[in-house]
Amino acid sequence: MKKILLVGSANMDLSMNICRVPEPGETLLDDGGIAYTPGGKGANSAVAFAKLGADCVFCTKLGADAHGQKLFNYYKECGINTSCIKVDPEAPTGLAVVMKEADGANRIIVYPGANKTLTRENVLDAFFTEPDALYIGFEIPFDIAVAAAKIASVKNIPIFVDAAPASKDYPLEMLPPVEVFSPNESETLEYTGIYPDTTENCLKAALALSNRVKAKYIVIKLGSRGSFVFDGKHLDVIPAYRPDAVVDTTAAGDTFTAGLTLEYLRSYGNIKNAMRYGSAAAAIAVSRKGAGSSIPSEDEVIEFLRKRINF
Ligand code: ATP
Ligand code: RIB
């Protein structure tokens, strides 16, 4: 079983179904429904790893509050290795307000809380678990994500980056060489100024990213259009699988990148297989409500792929 160290964020998600975003100064009554569910880009990927059959060591920080306690219990239930989860006595657990409009689009605002207080020492300690791979995201302080990558690099541990959320101010050049660097469409725009709406623009953006990040593969997530990969010489587009329904796209990206990473490791670096596997896991996730709760098990992904291939 592959052991993956995930250094990333944990949030409680407050999901609201909204008919529209209020105008400035407007108060909008909307009884579309609310729910508190486990979320956070790092945690969603940790749940995906555990459900898809990896031994996932999750290095994150929670607050000493009810949300933190609930999340911790949930991670245990999911089979995540919780030995590297720290608790901040003062900062609250991260909170994300997820506004979901009727067409399935979502807008998310994150209050990072305890995610901001993860330290280099916390990360260094986590490497004693001797992982096969490191997976990082940027919903924690950027310098901590870079520190984790640098430790992994010294130890010759392959590094996978879910490049979310993005800021054009992030010094991506600080990252050591990585296997996969994967932003979505809006993150690609933020990092490069190029919106990846056509294959040509995907290539331009991937070239711009390659100038800043030494990645074996740049993989751009393109929502229902699928995903794009560039290895420095060749490009490919892997179409998305048609989901049974599009119910809630929250955590599609987190599921895709985790699935891709795990299958990449299991298939000794077969990037296209890995992207197909990530796409299948994400297509199932978008057909269900919630973030962590929408992520499929390994058996469900195998069954999904079997049906699509035999079709
Ligand atoms: P999120 O922020 O909602 O977690 P994201 O914006 O990071 O997601 P997307 O590009 O929306 O990531 O989705 C990641 C992958 O999930 C896509 O590359 C695709 O394979 C799959 N996917 C997303 N939306 C759909 C959809 N509507 N139908 C089928 N597959 C989808
Ligand atoms: O990618 C989806 C996640 O982004 C949500 O679960 C929310 O917590 C934010 O981090």
Side-chain angles (χ1 to χ4, degrees), residues 239-276:
Y241 287 102
R242 188 192 290 264
D244 292 336
V246 180
V247 173
D248 182 352
T249 61
T250 316
D254 313 327
T255 306
F256 172 89
T257 317
L260 175 155
T261 298
L262 182 56
E263 194 56 22
Y264 182 94
L265 293 167
R266 292 196 286 217
S267 66
Y268 304 98
N270 185 328
I271 190 71
K272 285 201 239 167
N273 263 1
M275 288 165 72
R276 284 188 202 103

Side-chain angles (χ1 to χ4, degrees), residues 166-168 185-197 201 204-206 208-209 212:
S167 161
K168 59 179 177 328
E185 291 158 300
S186 62
E187 289 143 12
T188 300
L189 175 66
E190 176 71 16
Y191 288 127
T192 66
I194 301 163
Y195 194 80
D197 53 347
N201 283 340
K204 280 187 189 159
L209 284 168
R212 300 185 59 198

Side-chain angles (χ1 to χ4, degrees), residues 107-172:
R107 292 161 201 266
I108 304 178
I109 302 181
V110 178
Y111 177 75
N115 291 306
K116 263 186 116 169
T117 69
L118 197 65
T119 64
R120 275 187 178 71
E121 290 65 37
N122 299 152
V123 170
L124 190 57
D125 282 354
F127 277 89
F128 286 112
T129 58
E130 300 193 345
D132 298 308
L134 171 73
Y135 182 101
I136 51 172
F138 299 152
E139 220 173 39
I140 55 170
F142 186 78
D143 59 324
I144 299 300
V146 170
K150 286 190 170 160
I151 300 167
S153 180
V154 168
K155 292 176 178 285
N156 264 325
I157 294 170
I159 302 160
F160 297 81
V161 184
D162 188 337
S167 161
K168 59 179 177 328
D169 300 328
Y170 286 158
L172 298 176

Side-chain angles (χ1 to χ4, degrees), residues 202-269:
C202 284
L203 178 60
K204 280 187 189 159
L207 283 166
L209 284 168
S210 309
N211 285 332
R212 300 185 59 198
V213 186
K214 283 192 191 63
K216 211 178 256 180
Y217 299 105
I218 302 278
V219 175
I220 304 178
K221 289 166 276 202
L222 302 170
S224 59
R225 292 187 297 133
S227 48
F228 167 96
V229 60
F230 181 61
D231 68 359
K233 282 190 185 145
H234 307 104
L235 65 85
D236 233 306
V237 176
I238 302 292
Y241 287 102
R242 188 192 290 264
D244 292 336
V246 180
V247 173
D248 182 352
T249 61
T250 316
D254 313 327
T255 306
F256 172 89
T257 317
L260 175 155
T261 298
L262 182 56
E263 194 56 22
Y264 182 94
L265 293 167
R266 292 196 286 217
S267 66
Y268 304 98

